[in-house]
Amino acid sequence: MVPLKFCANISWLFTELPEVTQRMRDAARAGFRAVEAAWIYNSDLKELKTVKDETGLEFVLINTPPGDLSAGDLGLGAVPGREQEFRQGLDLAVQYAKALDCRRIHLMAGRVPAGADCCTVAMEMEDTFVQNLKHAAGVLSKEGILGLIEPINTRITDPRYFLDSPHQAAAILQRVAHPSIRMQMDIFHWQIMDGNLTQNIRKYLPMTGHIQIAQVPDRHEPDSDGELSYTYLFKLLEELDYQDYIGCEYKPQRSTEAGLDWLRRYWSSHN
């Protein structure tokens, strides 16, 4: 079996350092060969590319812009009336992705508008999301970039996020029906919303383009105390021949470096 590949999410790891480029260098020093990040749009693109080239890191994933965070936005993909902003954000994400040779963009769905009833607006939001994803598929397929949709749990992390389960995501992917749009499997969110991880992973891995991990419920290192056995889950993913990257998107309990023993153990056991 091929060993799993891990990338450092530098929006969560190495945050002891303020600059994305500093975190990239630290990730490389820690042994990572790849990184991912949520939003890098406040960073100088030329500097990002320089550090990427100097370190030899692969940039695996970035998110589309969130919109106006101060106004409560967290993505615009499923938000009715914001289609033009979504397309502008997509174009910016593609610009950064192409410069960094990044082959995955998380197309953020966004939140149910404040004051709206989720059930009342659900179908309109799904229709909006499907149309935006079909547009994104046309843009991304020309660039060789994969668009990803990620369910985010509404029980702990974000009560108003529109896309919250793998089943909902699968139904949307079926409507979009394009190979350039796939699912992003965040095991932390999946466990909180649905559990049944073994069967859900087996069922949805064929339509998955990226995986992220953290322990439940506190979102710390995979080997910290919690509900999940990542020893088991890693073996399952190996058996299923998952060969893309797994993003380490967790909150270190201490320093990032001090919390990487789990990864060193994995590397040493597979060398």
Side-chain angles (χ1 to χ4, degrees), residues 25-254:
R25 293 187 189 280
D26 251 24
R29 280 192 287 268
F32 284 100
R33 296 179 180 176
V35 295
E36 64 181 36
W39 305 302
I40 53 173
Y41 304 108
N42 290 331
S43 300
D44 182 83
L45 186 51
K46 289 183 180 179
E47 188 176 354
L48 287 172
K49 190 176 187 310
T50 296
V51 174
K52 175 187 177 296
D53 292 342
E54 287 177 357
T55 58
L57 286 169
E58 182 179 348
F59 228 107
V60 172
L61 170 77
I62 60 174
N63 291 358
T64 48
D68 187 349
L69 285 170
S70 64
D73 291 338
L74 193 67
L76 300 172
V79 183
R82 308 286 294 277
E83 291 85 353
Q84 189 58 38
E85 292 171 77
F86 171 80
R87 293 186 178 198
Q88 291 170 350
L90 175 65
D91 290 344
L92 181 61
V94 168
Q95 177 189 339
Y96 271 72
K98 287 174 65 177
L100 298 171
D101 197 25
C102 175
R103 294 297 162 191
R104 295 170 191 80
I105 296 175
H106 169 203
L107 307 166
M108 300 198 72
R111 291 171 169 149
V112 175
D117 174 70
C118 182
C119 295
T120 303
V121 300
M123 187 50 66
E124 182 185 8
M125 291 190 72
E126 181 175 311
D127 289 344
T128 299
F129 202 22
V130 168
Q131 291 307 310
N132 278 334
L133 291 175
K134 287 182 176 180
H135 168 79
V139 173
L140 298 176
S141 60
K142 294 175 184 176
E143 305 293 349
I145 297 173
L146 198 61
L148 302 170
I149 62 172
E150 179 191 10
I152 294 176
N153 82 81
T154 50
R155 290 179 172 154
I156 295 176
T157 301
D158 198 314
R160 287 175 37 230
Y161 203 75
F162 170 69
L163 183 66
D164 69 358
S165 83
H167 317 298
Q168 180 190 12
I172 289 170
L173 289 177
Q174 190 171 21
R175 289 187 63 189
V176 175
H178 197 290
S180 290
I181 308 296
R182 304 190 77 193
M183 196 181 302
Q184 184 166 314
M185 177 194 299
D186 189 315
I187 292 176
F188 170 79
H189 295 305
W190 284 30
Q191 167 68 5
I192 292 168
M193 289 306 296
D194 199 64
N196 194 31
L197 286 176
T198 299
Q199 297 307 316
N200 281 340
I201 289 171
R202 289 184 185 278
K203 181 177 182 178
Y204 293 121
L205 192 64
M207 63 180 73
T208 294
H210 188 60
I211 294 175
Q212 292 173 325
I213 58 171
Q215 186 55 275
V216 178
D218 295 322
R219 210 166 188 175
H220 295 315
E221 289 87 346
D223 65 341
S224 61
D225 287 342
E227 299 174 16
L228 300 179
S229 168
Y230 273 100
T231 300
Y232 168 80
L233 292 172
F234 291 161
K235 287 180 180 177
L236 175 63
L237 291 170
E238 289 170 0
E239 290 169 4
L240 295 173
D241 197 31
Y242 178 75
Q243 296 185 13
D244 291 320
Y245 274 100
I246 296 175
C248 302
E249 190 185 56
Y250 59 78
K251 298 179 289 187
Q253 290 178 296
R254 303 179 300 281

